[in-house]
Amino acid sequence: MKGAKKYPLASERYPRARYRRVAIGHPEVEIRREADGTIYMHAREALAPLPERLLERLLHWAVERPQQTFAAARDEHGEWRRISYAQMLDNTRRIAQNLLGYGLSAERPLLILSGNDLEHLQLAFGALYAGIPYCPVSPAYSLLSKDLAKLRHIVDLLKPGLVFATDAGPFCRAIETVIGADVSLVFERGEVSGRSHRIFAELLVAPDCGEADAAFAATDGDTIAKFLFTSGSTRLPKAVPTTQRMLCANQQMLLQTFPEFAREPPVLVDWLPWNHTFGGSHNLGIVLYNGGSFYIDGGRPTPQGFAETLCNLEEISPTAYLTVPRGWEELVGALEQNAQLRERFFARIRLFFFAAAGLSQDIWDRLDHLAEAHCGERIRMMAGLGMTEAAPSCTFTTGPVSVAGYVGLPAPGCEVKLVPQDGKLEARYRGPNLMQGYWRSPEQNIEAFDEEGFYCSGDALRLVDEANPQLGLMFDGRLAEDFKLSSGVFINVGPLRTSAVLMGSRYVQDVVVLAPERPALALLVFPRMAECRLLSELGEQASDAQVLASEPVRAWFSEWLRQINSESTGSASYITWAALAEEGPSLDRGEITDKGSLNQRAILNARASLINRLYLEEDMLKVRGS
């Protein structure tokens, strides 16, 4: 198509690069165009037959690899505490037998308040075996929230019959405030004053598991496995009933796309929270489905929390590493400095994967350089597009394009429908991995699906090349985030925001594009304060405001704006100024999820008065690009 932007193919971008051999599917797509501009796409490769239930894979590996480590976590002495496949199955059946005594169901599910650990995992598997839905709740809703509004919303919506926390102590306030006295409690340790409870170890005692086995046999693909809550981008979090079929379909999609997982049992070292679909359905499921080993990483990709991740990676060599871009940023810096870490990390690695946000080209290039220097070859970096409602995968980047924003091709079994909406193409999905509707939300379900049963994601996609749909799809922003300036100029927020963050990733955590009905574009910047403090050379005694107002920091951000504007094509992409936010995003105001992603619309609403002052030239921390 004349004048169309040409995106680089991987073979063109890295013509002499040699990649580690890895089994990756290369699906082709069928495409149909309608007269109104609607486009239908699906992979030509059909989805293979699915297990009826996800834990059928646990039964299989407990026979095939009974003594192999399935899951492991550090104990209080720093040693790895391991659970084999055979032990996991035995504990799962015993826990299921005891859970049946609580009278739990989809109307009275199990609620898990605490984060990733072996008790959480065993209890979740026990619920799956018994056919009882469970809900892993973000610990931040109990521990960091001041008003407990999101936790209260979840409890009111699900009406749990049993609540679990590994350690009762940190969750006392939440339980006393939100959890009714009629709800049963289980803890691994600790207590809540005035409330009776059972100890987790008691659930492992069951001389006869016949009822549990019968309950498992009675489950099928339509059985709700768990409730996962969305991040609440525009409203309170919505409950997604995730069925056995959704989980199994997503894992089969992954296996057909990455057959490498079947060639060598995957070993993952993973920190991602199980209350999110990336960590709890995608990554944990990869290990279970393919008979691998899952090492629970208690670290976090922060300057304070990453030391534990590095300690784990210096002991355990993963076969694949899957994390968010912030995790890759922390890891690349550590790999560049630590030869022992490089030796362990690259020993068995076959595949890299990122999700949840864009990965900067600088980090990507540094990772490629490290791999080439250490291994003599590069490791393939994969990504995709997914969501809680799809358990989570819809597309994978197995196509030939290599560029930020590329989301690839439809996964086997998932249909993609692109519908013209306000000058863009909204992505809609249908398949066995998609939910049938939000829990107890009839009004939202009317909006969520179109007349053909496709889930309306609110994401915009576009073809890489109109003339060659086999190249796949590009992310084109969120429809709800786009707006017009007062001049009537339409602003495509997604690509603008992604470009700004990737270009400034060294000191920029995230940005909000400002603002609807204003005369010009601007950015509210959430900076990486630790890195900015080092740049300022002011030391720990300086306040955040002093750091952000320092000359080195202001000079760097001014140059960043100049670089952004050097690629501008007009008022739809020219940034007049940027303001550096001293106050971070608030969980209680819905400005941020517990995995760190920003809610653009909530920030615009919550900080309307600040934004107004910024446009009136009343803030001292603005910077301008030349």
Side-chain angles (χ1 to χ4, degrees):
M1 186 169 63
K2 186 176 180 180
K5 184 174 181 179
K6 185 179 184 296
Y7 292 100
L9 305 183
S11 58
E12 296 170 344
R13 190 168 199 163
Y14 307 119
R16 292 178 297 278
R18 186 165 71 91
Y19 284 89
R20 180 164 289 182
R21 292 178 65 86
V22 60
I24 297 175
H26 297 284
E28 294 183 343
V29 297
E30 296 279 359
I31 185 167
R32 185 177 92 245
R33 300 174 186 264
E34 301 293 331
D36 64 356
T38 299
I39 300 172
Y40 293 85
M41 302 177 69
H42 68 270
R44 288 175 179 165
E45 179 184 0
L47 189 65
L50 306 174
E52 192 78 3
R53 319 156 188 85
L54 186 62
L55 288 192
E56 287 182 25
R57 304 303 291 167
L58 177 62
L59 272 67
H60 173 79
W61 298 121
V63 173
E64 293 291 319
R65 302 169 185 171
Q67 300 311 312
Q68 179 186 307
T69 295
F70 167 57
R74 301 277 190 184
D75 63 18
E76 63 272 19
H77 305 296
E79 301 299 323
W80 287 108
R81 174 187 163 205
R82 301 169 184 267
I83 298 181
S84 69
Y85 275 96
Q87 182 184 357
M88 191 68 187
L89 177 57
D90 184 52
N91 290 357
T92 293
R93 294 176 66 236
R94 292 170 183 270
I95 292 170
Q97 183 69 32
N98 280 290
L99 289 179
L100 290 172
Y102 285 96
L104 304 176
S105 66
E107 305 300 324
R108 299 183 69 248
L110 163 66
L111 210 66
I112 300 177
L113 299 182
S114 48
N116 303 6
D117 58 35
L118 293 177
E119 285 69 34
H120 178 149
L121 182 60
Q122 293 173 87
L123 192 60
F125 274 33
L128 289 176
Y129 198 83
I132 297 167
Y134 73 98
C135 176
V137 179
S138 167
Y141 293 172
S142 297
L143 304 180
L144 300 182
S145 174
K146 295 179 181 178
D147 60 13
L148 300 173
K150 289 186 177 180
L151 177 63
R152 193 184 306 277
H153 165 71
I154 289 170
V155 171
D156 289 344
L157 183 64
L158 294 186
K159 306 185 187 311
L162 177 64
V163 170
F164 170 77
T166 301
D167 184 354
F171 295 91
C172 281
R173 179 178 73 100
I175 292 171
E176 291 171 343
T177 305
V178 177
I179 306 301
D182 60 328
V183 178
S184 300
L185 303 175
V186 173
F187 306 127
E188 200 272 331
R189 58 185 178 273
E191 63 181 17
V192 175
S193 180
R195 297 287 297 270
S196 61
H197 70 277
R198 289 182 72 183
I199 300 299
F200 174 80
E202 296 176 21
L203 301 183
L204 296 174
V205 179
D208 182 2
C209 298
E211 292 180 15
D213 293 338
F216 179 66
T219 61
D220 58 23
D222 292 322
T223 301
I224 298 173
K226 59 182 172 180
F227 293 103
L228 288 177
F229 276 80
T230 64
S231 57
S233 297
T234 57
R235 307 173 185 173
L236 284 168
K238 300 184 287 289
V240 176
T242 305
T243 65
Q244 294 284 347
R245 182 178 296 108
M246 290 168 64
L247 294 174
C248 293
N250 187 68
Q251 287 307 315
Q252 186 60 37
M253 289 174 178
L254 278 160
L255 179 56
Q256 289 178 228
T257 305
F258 304 109
E260 182 66 30
F261 291 138
R263 294 194 173 190
E264 179 181 3
V267 175
L268 300 189
V269 180
D270 194 85
W271 66 272
L272 286 157
W274 293 340
N275 56 281
H276 284 291
T277 188
F278 187 16
S281 297
H282 188 279
N283 291 2
L284 187 59
I286 285 172
V287 170
L288 174 62
Y289 205 77
N290 299 284
S293 298
F294 192 98
Y295 290 84
I296 299 172
D297 175 15
R300 286 291 184 274
T302 65
Q304 299 77 26
F306 206 61
E308 184 169 347
T309 294
L310 297 181
C311 179
N312 294 332
L313 290 174
E314 286 179 358
E315 287 191 34
I316 308 298
S317 297
T319 61
Y321 199 69
L322 306 90
T323 190
V324 296
R326 179 58 173 163
W328 283 114
E329 292 166 11
E330 293 287 344
L331 182 58
V332 165
L335 286 169
E336 289 172 336
Q337 301 296 321
N338 189 328
Q340 180 181 343
L341 177 65
R342 290 195 298 273
E343 189 69 32
R344 297 292 291 180
F345 183 73
F346 285 112
R348 302 175 63 190
I349 204 79
R350 309 292 294 173
L351 190 71
F352 294 155
F353 194 99
F354 74 91
L359 183 66
S360 74
Q361 193 59 50
D362 172 64
I363 296 298
W364 203 324
D365 290 343
R366 287 163 65 190
L367 191 58
D368 280 342
H369 177 74
L370 281 163
E372 284 187 307
H374 189 83
C375 311
E377 55 191 357
R378 292 176 176 176
I379 311 299
R380 291 192 180 275
M381 175 67 78
M382 313 302 295
L385 182 64
M387 62 209 71
T388 306
E389 292 85 348
S393 305
C394 293
T395 72
F396 293 114
T397 57
T398 50
V401 174
S402 177
V403 69
Y406 181 59
V407 298
L409 296 160
C414 184
E415 300 174 80
V416 177
K417 178 182 178 182
L418 305 177
V419 180
Q421 294 278 354
D422 300 323
K424 289 191 174 187
L425 294 173
E426 182 191 16
R428 302 180 182 181
Y429 305 98
R430 186 172 67 183
N433 58 319
L434 269 296
M435 70 167 189
Q436 296 301 302
Y438 296 110
W439 187 248
R440 293 174 175 157
S441 300
E443 293 183 0
Q444 291 177 327
N445 288 333
I446 293 173
E447 302 172 358
F449 298 93
D450 69 12
E451 66 283 354
E452 294 184 293
F454 282 83
Y455 170 70
C456 305
S457 70
D459 291 332
L461 300 180
R462 66 178 185 272
L463 293 171
V464 170
D465 186 342
E466 287 281 345
N468 186 5
Q470 300 297 332
L471 293 181
L473 297 160
M474 296 287 296
F475 185 71
D476 201 22
R478 289 282 298 170
L479 294 176
E481 292 178 350
D482 294 342
F483 59 82
K484 289 182 179 180
L485 297 175
S486 58
S487 62
V489 173
F490 187 80
I491 304 302
N492 191 347
V493 170
L496 184 61
R497 174 191 177 197
T498 298
S499 177
V501 173
L502 295 182
M503 195 175 294
S505 60
R506 187 174 181 183
Y507 296 106
V508 176
Q509 183 70 49
D510 211 333
V511 304
V512 176
V513 180
L514 309 176
E517 303 302 323
R518 297 289 181 172
L521 281 177
L523 298 176
L524 178 63
V525 181
F526 291 94
R528 299 188 188 279
M529 283 306 306
E531 288 80 356
C532 287
R533 187 170 297 277
L534 290 174
L535 177 64
S536 73
E537 300 182 343
L538 292 178
E540 293 299 324
Q541 73 281 1
S543 68
D544 288 351
Q546 290 172 322
V547 167
L548 296 179
S550 68
E551 183 56 33
V553 171
R554 293 174 66 85
W556 188 91
F557 278 97
S558 292
E559 174 60 20
W560 168 64
L561 277 188
R562 188 197 66 76
Q563 292 177 9
I564 292 173
N565 288 331
S566 69
E567 299 181 2
S568 170
T569 57
S571 58
S573 56
Y574 187 86
I575 308 299
T576 57
W577 50 263
L580 308 184
E582 294 180 55
E583 180 191 358
S586 165
L587 180 73
D588 282 339
R589 293 198 300 263
E591 295 180 335
I592 190 174
T593 70
D594 61 322
K595 66 179 180 181
S597 58
L598 293 187
N599 180 340
Q600 301 270 309
R601 185 68 60 184
I603 291 173
L604 288 173
N605 292 336
R607 307 193 186 210
S609 61
L610 168 64
I611 293 168
N612 186 56
R613 293 200 308 272
L614 289 169
Y615 271 99
L616 293 174
E617 303 275 355
E618 294 179 10
D619 193 90
M620 298 301 294
L621 289 180
K622 287 198 294 189
V623 294
R624 298 182 184 274
S626 57

